[in-house]
Structures are given as C-alpha cells and as structure tokens.
Amino acid sequence: DAKTTQPTSMDCAEGRAANLPCNHSTISGNEYVYWYRQIHSQGPQYIIHGLKNNETNEMASLIITEDRKSSTLILPHATLRDTAVYYCIVRFNAGNNRKLIWGLGTSLAVNP
Amino acid sequence: DGGITQSPKYLFRKEGQNVTLSCEQNLNHDAMYWYRQDPGQGLRLIYYSQIVNDFQKGDIAEGYSVSREKKESFPLTVTSAQKNPTAFYLCASSQFTEAFFGQGTRLTVV
C-alpha cells in the first residue's frame, strides 16, 4: 500500500469548513483512499473512503483529484467535537487491513 | 449495538508480570488486529488474525502473544519479554473494507 503525506497540524474556526489535504503520489490504480480520525485517547473512527469519484456521507466529503495523486477531506461545518487527528491511508479494498501504513496524520484544532 | 469492546480502559502492572488485554467483537468480522500506539508515532501492527485458530505476526510482535479460539475474541498477552510495554493498545476488526476500532487500553508498567 502506498504511503501518504499530510500536514502536521491545521486550525479551523468553528462553523467554517475544514479542508484537510493528503498527498498520495504513488497510489496505484486499484488502491482506495481511506480517512480515519482519532479523538484523544480513543480508538480511530472511520470517516469515508473513495476510489476515483468524489464521495459524501453524513460526516464529510472526499475530493480526489483526477490524477488521484492527492485528495482533500472536507468537514463542511466544523465543530469543537471535530478536534482530532485525521489519518489518510491508501489500501486495496479487497485486501485486509494488515498492510496499512499509519502515519502521524494531521492534528486538527477547531477553535471557538 | 454492534461494536468492538476492549477492557479494561486503564491497566497497571508491575514490571516482569504478564498481562492480558481483552478484545471482543460482535460484528461477525473475520479479521482482527492488535496495534500499539506510542506518543508521536503512528499505529504499529502487533498481530493480526484472518480466521479462527490462525494468526500472524505484525511488525512488532516480539514480546507479545495472541490466541484466536473464537471468532468474537482476540486477546493479547503482553509478556515480560516486551522491553517497553507501556503504551496505548488498540484492537480492531474488519470484513473486507474499513476497520472498526475499540476504545483502547492504556497499559502502564511500573
């Protein structure tokens, strides 16, 4: 599975959109982009995943560039409870999670 | 509710003692995983199991042992051979797609 690069930290004002970037320039054609987040001292929580098309669910939107070398996770109206570390991971969907490479993620601080 | 449960949330042990961390899931997932997380580091895989009665070493298996006698359960034993056992331990399960994590056990060895 390909490695990803994310900024170490970001700030966002409460109520504004939080846009978290991720670079995955070595992603292969059948690898998916997954996003998780981890609130302090809790287990990571799945947010969203996608292959080529943009995806949206009740938590967030995922925008993947046409060349698939980067993506952006969008939290449309960030709240204080969205303060967490956000991890971007690429993986084969049909595979299992043993080969996931967990980086340090982006520490997002949502400020009042 | 379906989910994955780790217990206890906090655990203290004396150096040299073995300790077993519990992980139970009722999601009917085949695969289960144990990760370790240290401050300033990403999650690192200790052991994983794809099916009952089978498990494989991850990247940092030394000093740890597991069993998978039931689909629902994947306990992790931290043995006295583990040089730096104090850490946050996370259990996860999956079925082809995303992984579901427990709330973690923070182990402190004194």
Side-chain angles (χ1 to χ4, degrees), chain B residues 8-28:
Chain B
K9 189 169 178 63
Y10 299 96
L11 191 55
F12 295 87
R13 279 293 182 271
K14 291 183 178 180
E15 193 172 345
Q17 290 182 334
N18 292 355
V19 60
T20 298
L21 282 60
S22 170
C23 179
E24 303 279 332
Q25 55 102 355
N26 60 4
L27 300 167
N28 201 33

Side-chain angles (χ1 to χ4, degrees), chain A residues 87-100:
Chain A
Y87 298 97
C88 169
I89 298 169
V90 296
R91 56 155 290 185
F92 292 103
N93 212 36
N96 60 58
N97 291 279
R98 71 180 184 272
K99 293 183 180 178
L100 297 184

Side-chain angles (χ1 to χ4, degrees), chain A residues 34 36 38-47 49 85 87 91-105, chain B residues 9-10 31 33 35 37 40-45 48 50 59 88 90 93-104 106:
Chain A
Y34 275 73
Y36 289 81
Q38 186 177 23
I39 296 170
H40 183 63
S41 293
Q42 296 184 24
Q45 175 191 24
Y46 164 79
I47 302 173
H49 74 280
V85 178
Y87 298 97
R91 56 155 290 185
F92 292 103
N93 212 36
N96 60 58
N97 291 279
R98 71 180 184 272
K99 293 183 180 178
L100 297 184
I101 300 174
W102 292 79
L104 296 179
Chain B
K9 189 169 178 63
Y10 299 96
Y33 313 83
Y35 292 90
Q37 188 173 36
Q41 296 194 35
L43 277 67
R44 292 183 291 168
L45 184 64
Y48 65 94
Q50 296 294 93
D59 300 318
F88 188 48
L90 287 159
S93 69
S94 71
Q95 191 78 0
F96 304 122
T97 57
E98 72 268 22
F100 293 79
F101 285 82
Q103 290 305 295
R106 188 167 298 279

Side-chain angles (χ1 to χ4, degrees), chain A residues 15-77:
Chain A
R16 304 295 295 269
N19 299 294
L20 290 88
C22 179
N23 287 320
H24 30 79
S25 59
T26 61
I27 193 170
S28 63
N30 50 1
E31 283 186 310
Y32 286 70
V33 179
Y34 275 73
W35 283 84
Y36 289 81
R37 74 179 183 183
Q38 186 177 23
I39 296 170
H40 183 63
S41 293
Q42 296 184 24
Q45 175 191 24
Y46 164 79
I47 302 173
I48 198 168
H49 74 280
L51 181 63
K52 296 180 181 178
N53 300 321
N54 298 337
E55 302 288 343
T56 296
N57 63 20
E58 64 277 6
M59 291 182 68
S61 294
L62 175 60
I63 308 298
I64 302 174
T65 58
E66 193 170 342
D67 64 7
R68 301 206 329 117
K69 292 185 177 182
S70 66
S71 61
T72 301
L73 178 75
I74 301 173
L75 308 178
H77 305 287

Side-chain angles (χ1 to χ4, degrees), chain A residues 11-18 76-80 108-112:
Chain A
D11 287 289
C12 177
E14 187 178 18
R16 304 295 295 269
H77 305 287
T79 70
L80 298 179
L108 174 68
V110 180
N111 304 309

